[in-house]
Amino acid sequence: MRPLFASAHVIAFLALATASCGGDTPESSAEAVAERDRPTFPLDADIWVADLDRQDGALVLGPPREAIHRAGYDNQPYFTPDGEGFWYAGMDEHSGQAEIFLYRMNGPFEQVTQTAPESEYSPTPLPDGTGLSVVRVEPDSTQRLWKIPFDGSEDTVLLPNLAPVGYHAWIDASTVALFVLGSPPTLQIAELGGGTPRAVGGDIGRSIRSIPGVAAVSFVALGEDSTAVLTRYDLDGTITPLVETVGNGDFHAWTPDGTVLMARGAQIHAWTPGDAGWTLVADLTEHNVRVTRLAVSPDGTHIALVVEPGNVTL
């Protein structure tokens, strides 16, 4: 089904029914396999934006401001290459399905897809700049990786024989790392145009991120002793443990100069390879929110934060 590029100036203020909690529909089957990471009741996720700067070498977060504020699900921000906005997954007010939207910091909102009864999640720009890769939940609930071209041509499935896909990140223009649901969920590496995907890690977290400047991705390896270790996978197959995550967390984001950010509750922490441990960057406790996902703009000057109510006991 072809994408719809329609203006949606007032989308931030539409009242939608909450359809999902802090996670996403694609990971619902993962929860049936392993209960962890999020509550079983709906939470209202919004997206905030803040300036990001370095002062005397330390990261500094500016005052956050609301970018997407409405009832219901808005999640999974991913900045545009020019850093002037971000794509995100949100619920369409008419269909109740998850669609892809574009938020511009100095322009109108845009609804990128209108594909009910299918839903799309995890919008990610393709390395070749021709479109977005998304996880599409098809009418029979199959979850596969699809391409949504920017030129308006027909959507195409990128990896026809790989399902159920939950999340993904690009290693290079033809190689993608994927969170594939199962017992346990696995990290799999696939090549566009053929070849058999190969599993390179088991029992991983939901967050997979491309590491800026290198042909590598990061993910969180979950240990039997309940530890969670941020781990690097390089295109040559090398797997390198980096650091234990903050509070056994999962969601993380990289700055372009090689620092990784993670949130724990209302606090945001930073770690750079070579550091002894994590450093507190910002504390948003006064806003009574819990930060989950994070995304950093390609130039490192902005950060998008997915926030949930902080007064809910998990």
Side-chain angles (χ1 to χ4, degrees), residues 2-23:
R2 295 172 67 91
L4 173 73
F5 293 86
S7 177
H9 293 254
V10 296
I11 196 165
F13 307 103
L14 299 176
L16 305 182
T18 299
S20 152
C21 51

Side-chain angles (χ1 to χ4, degrees), residues 159-292:
L159 300 169
N161 300 318
L162 184 58
V165 174
Y167 306 95
H168 70 289
W170 291 93
I171 299 177
D172 64 13
S174 62
T175 311
V176 60
L178 308 106
F179 173 108
V180 178
L181 302 172
S183 180
T186 56
L187 176 68
Q188 298 198 25
I189 307 300
E191 301 285 342
L192 298 183
T196 301
R198 58 192 185 278
V200 298
D203 203 8
I204 67 168
R206 295 173 287 165
S207 185
I208 306 174
R209 288 290 190 176
S210 302
I211 302 177
V214 294
V217 294
S218 57
F219 65 97
V220 173
L222 304 172
E224 294 181 358
D225 57 354
S226 298
T227 58
V229 177
L230 185 67
T231 305
R232 171 173 167 161
Y233 175 87
D234 282 85
L235 187 60
D236 65 4
T238 303
I239 297 177
T240 308
L242 298 177
V243 64
E244 287 195 22
T245 66
V246 177
N248 290 333
D250 183 0
F251 299 121
H252 62 284
W254 291 88
T255 66
D257 59 1
T259 294
V260 65
L261 298 170
M262 293 193 76
R264 181 181 187 182
Q267 295 183 335
I268 299 171
H269 301 259
W271 177 82
T272 302
D275 289 353
W278 294 85
T279 301
L280 180 65
V281 171
D283 190 339
L284 305 181
T285 300
E286 65 179 294
H287 298 283
N288 194 26
V289 294
R290 177 186 303 108
V291 180
T292 56

Side-chain angles (χ1 to χ4, degrees), residues 125-142:
L126 290 165
D128 65 6
T130 61
L132 296 176
S133 54
V134 300
V135 174
R136 173 166 287 173
V137 183
E138 300 167 20
D140 64 356
S141 297
T142 300

